[in-house]
């Protein structure tokens, strides 16, 4: 039996309303997600101008001065152009954090590749030195920015363990593979747990240090201390115990 025109219109209207509701749910669940992916050169230029303008405001005036209106004025674009790619200022600031992490990851990758065949201690030292450098760079944009937009970033992303949209599970898996490559010195049988603690636990520890005692991040004792903590996680045996 054919569908009545009025019924068809009603059905289409219902489906449209459903799509709008689903879209609204997605926006609420991911308020910091970018709206449109810039494909054309002009669009990419606009996004870069927006990010650069937001970064300048952040560095000179602080996180509270970063608004879509101020960013648009500094970038020389309309407020509508900002909203085309970013739903709110939070999305812009999260993107700044992601870019810093990805830049550090690109810089770390060659060193990490070179150290794959070196000792685990050398590898961990390089990872944590890179981590501290990244934390220092993020903190330089202000404590409020760090607490609200950088703290949630995952350890491993800026250390060459993964770039872009990597999940915590992927970073943990990458860390576990690194530990398994040094099985001769990793006494902990549960390498998945050790990898999880290194990726998630160490990041939380450092974030707490940055938030509560930021002046201590410059201590020369920090990286060696982090290596000792990491080694305790990966090898629970006493130093003089080499038995299985």
């Amino acid at each position: 039996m054919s569908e009545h025109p009025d019924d068809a219109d009603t059905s289409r209207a219902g489906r449209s309303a459903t799509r709008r509701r689903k879209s609204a749910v997605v926006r609420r669940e991911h308020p910091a997600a970018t709206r449109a992916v810039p494909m054309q050169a002009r669009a990419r230029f606009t996004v870069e101008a927006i990010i650069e303008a937001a970064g300048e405001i952040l560095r000179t005036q602080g996180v509270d001065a970063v608004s879509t209106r101020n960013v648009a004025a500094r970038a020389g674009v309309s407020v509508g152009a900002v909203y085309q790619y970013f739903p709110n200022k939070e999305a812009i600031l999260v993107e700044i954090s992601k870019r810093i992490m990805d830049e550090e990851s690109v810089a770390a990758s060659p060193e990490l590749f070179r150290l794959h065949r070196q000792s685990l201690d050398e590898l961990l030292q390089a990872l944590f030195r890179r981590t501290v450098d990244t934390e220092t760079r993020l903190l330089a944009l202000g404590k409020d920015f760090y607490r609200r937009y950088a703290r949630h970033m995952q350890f491993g992303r800026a250390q060459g363990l993964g770039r872009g949209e990597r999940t915590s599970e992927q970073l943990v898996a990458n860390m576990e593979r690194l530990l398994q490559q040094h099985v001769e010195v990793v006494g902990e049988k549960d390498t998945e747990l050790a990898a999880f603690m290194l990726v998630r636990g160490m990041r939380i520890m450092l974030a707490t240090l940055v938030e509560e005692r930021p002046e201590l991040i410059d201590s020369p004792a920090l990286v060696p201390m982090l290596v000792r903590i990491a080694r305790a996680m990966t090898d629970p045996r006493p130093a003089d115990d080499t038995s299985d």
Side-chain angles (χ1 to χ4, degrees):
M1 183 173 62
S2 62
E3 187 177 30
H4 192 279
D6 291 341
D7 292 338
D9 291 342
T10 302
S11 178
R12 283 193 294 270
R15 288 194 295 271
S16 178
T18 300
R19 285 194 294 269
R20 286 195 297 271
R21 286 194 297 271
K22 288 182 178 179
S23 177
V25 169
V26 170
R27 285 194 295 271
R28 286 196 296 270
E29 290 177 347
H30 305 281
T34 54
R35 280 187 165 169
V37 178
M39 303 300 292
Q40 305 272 337
R42 182 176 179 181
R44 290 195 297 270
F45 177 83
T46 300
V47 169
E48 293 303 317
I50 291 169
I51 295 297
E52 184 176 342
E56 290 176 0
I57 296 172
L58 180 61
R59 287 188 293 271
T60 58
Q61 301 178 50
V63 67
D64 289 333
V66 180
S67 66
T68 52
R69 188 175 299 277
N70 289 344
V71 169
R74 178 69 67 92
V77 301
S78 67
V79 173
V82 175
Y83 280 120
Q84 183 178 356
Y85 300 104
F86 300 97
N88 46 46
K89 81 169 194 175
E90 281 72 23
I92 301 173
L93 291 165
V94 168
E95 180 63 21
I96 290 175
S97 292
K98 288 180 178 179
R99 289 189 175 207
I100 290 175
M101 299 292 274
D102 286 346
E103 288 168 8
E104 292 294 330
S105 179
V106 170
S109 292
E111 181 180 21
L112 187 62
F113 180 80
R114 179 179 60 81
L115 289 172
H116 266 298
R117 298 187 179 277
Q118 303 301 316
S119 71
L120 182 59
D121 284 352
E122 289 176 300
L123 177 61
L124 290 172
Q125 184 172 350
L127 284 172
F128 290 125
R129 185 173 62 249
R130 178 67 61 177
T131 303
V132 170
D133 290 345
T134 304
E135 298 294 329
T136 302
R137 185 177 172 188
L138 290 167
L139 180 62
L141 296 176
K143 288 185 66 175
D144 285 342
F145 168 80
Y146 183 92
R147 177 177 54 82
R148 290 155 62 179
Y149 303 104
R151 193 187 202 279
H152 72 283
M153 292 289 148
Q154 297 167 341
F155 171 84
R157 180 171 176 168
Q159 291 72 30
L161 297 179
R163 293 192 290 277
E165 298 301 324
R166 292 295 184 112
T167 66
S168 176
E169 290 77 11
Q170 289 172 314
L171 293 172
V172 169
N174 289 347
M175 176 61 78
E176 185 175 10
R177 281 194 289 272
L178 285 178
L179 295 180
Q180 291 170 349
Q181 290 174 6
H182 297 274
V183 64
E184 71 282 355
V185 294
V186 175
E188 177 56 60
K189 303 300 184 184
D190 194 342
T191 54
E192 182 180 6
L193 174 61
F196 180 86
M197 292 301 296
L198 284 171
V199 169
R200 301 296 290 152
M202 300 297 275
R203 177 69 177 93
I204 293 172
M205 185 186 302
L206 271 172
T208 302
L209 174 69
V210 171
E211 289 182 354
E212 297 184 9
R213 297 292 303 276
E215 73 279 5
L216 294 179
I217 200 170
D218 294 325
S219 171
L222 179 56
V223 170
M225 187 179 296
L226 292 172
V227 172
R228 291 197 300 273
I229 295 172
R231 291 296 281 122
M233 292 180 183
T234 60
D235 191 356
R237 298 172 298 181
D240 58 352
D241 181 7
T242 57
S243 61
D244 292 335

